[in-house]
Amino acid sequence: MPEFIPMISEEEIKEQTREVGKQIAEDYKDLDLVLVGVLKGSFIFLSDLTRQISIDHEIDLVGASSYEGTSSTGQIVFTKQPDLELEGRDVLLVEDIVDTGQTLSKIVEFIGLLNPRSVKICTLIDKHERREVELEVDYSCFSLDKGFIVGYGLDYNEKYRNLPAIFDLKL
Ligand code: IMP
Ligand code: MG
């Protein structure tokens, strides 16, 4: 039976999301913010974060998938393109977790082809240990050295996204 060790509580998530949302609203107040959530893992974080950003902004989604089980396949497949016109706009990518950085670096490259004015990164979790590419994470709610976590949108083989808090998964 897998074991779920509590790591980050609902309260802590709420508090950090509020802080990051406030900072984003301040930083983008004179810009043209478009939040672009990375499917599927960011959907819960995105829905909470957008409600903590008090300035006008728009929301889009990009679909990319790279993972099977707990180790990367090294391949990334785009499953959804953004719908909005991003040219000349200020894109903030919203991700659940940055691990090796491979997924986001390819998404940043792809979004760059759409000629936005700026592209920055906001992640719920910044996981350092296995970083393979140099990637500047502009906003993160939590840092993690290692481990595999689930809940609040984060999955293991598509399960456990529904858990309201974040747990360390021991298989
Ligand atoms: P990267 O390309 O290695 O940075 O992988 C990023 C993606 O891997 C994330 O968007 C997640 O879908 C998945 N991932 C990486 N670490 C974890 C984890 O600890 N729990 C759940 N998913 C993870
Ligand atoms: Mg995933």
Side-chain angles (χ1 to χ4, degrees):
M1 278 295 279
E3 213 185 319
F4 297 87
I5 299 160
M7 256 194 68
I8 307 171
S9 70
E10 284 180 78
E11 265 316 305
E12 288 172 299
I13 295 170
K14 198 167 179 190
E15 176 62 27
Q16 278 302 109
T17 305
R18 196 184 294 130
E19 287 305 311
V20 170
K22 234 179 16 194
Q23 189 62 52
I24 291 169
E26 175 61 29
D27 295 349
Y28 282 84
K29 64 178 187 295
D30 299 319
L31 300 176
D32 182 15
L33 174 63
V34 185
L35 294 183
V36 176
V38 181
L39 292 171
K40 292 183 253 183
S42 74
F43 80 107
I44 295 178
F45 177 45
L46 179 68
S47 72
D48 282 340
L49 182 67
T50 184
R51 286 177 284 181
Q52 298 296 340
I53 299 176
S54 57
I55 57 164
D56 282 349
H57 62 281
E58 297 178 19
I59 299 177
D60 209 335
L61 296 164
V62 68
S65 144
S66 72
Y67 253 67
E68 275 168 36
T70 58
S71 71
S72 178
T73 59
Q75 293 286 326
I76 155 164
V77 185
F78 283 98
T79 54
K80 188 200 173 297
Q81 316 259 339
D83 301 317
L84 296 174
E85 176 64 69
L86 299 180
E87 185 162 347
R89 311 190 69 189
D90 300 292
V91 172
L92 182 58
L93 288 166
V94 179
E95 195 28 322
D96 54 354
I97 184 165
V98 183
D99 185 11
T100 64
Q102 297 286 2
T103 309
L104 257 191
S105 71
K106 291 189 183 100
I107 294 172
V108 168
E109 209 176 290
F110 168 72
I111 294 287
L113 299 174
L114 305 173
N115 297 318
R117 176 165 52 194
S118 65
V119 184
K120 291 196 170 184
I121 294 171
C122 175
T123 185
L124 176 68
I125 315 267
D126 189 356
K127 188 161 88 174
H128 304 283
E129 195 196 28
R130 308 195 310 153
R131 194 66 41 89
E132 290 168 5
V133 291
E134 226 175 281
L135 193 74
E136 197 183 331
V137 174
D138 302 282
Y139 304 93
S140 78
C141 291
F142 301 98
S143 282
L144 181 71
D145 280 335
K146 52 184 163 190
F148 193 86
I149 56 178
V150 295
Y152 194 71
L154 289 146
D155 72 304
Y156 170 64
N157 285 344
E158 297 300 329
K159 292 210 169 55
Y160 316 129
R161 294 192 198 275
N162 58 310
L163 300 174
I166 294 174
F167 297 83
D168 196 357
L169 179 68
K170 297 274 179 248
L171 293 169

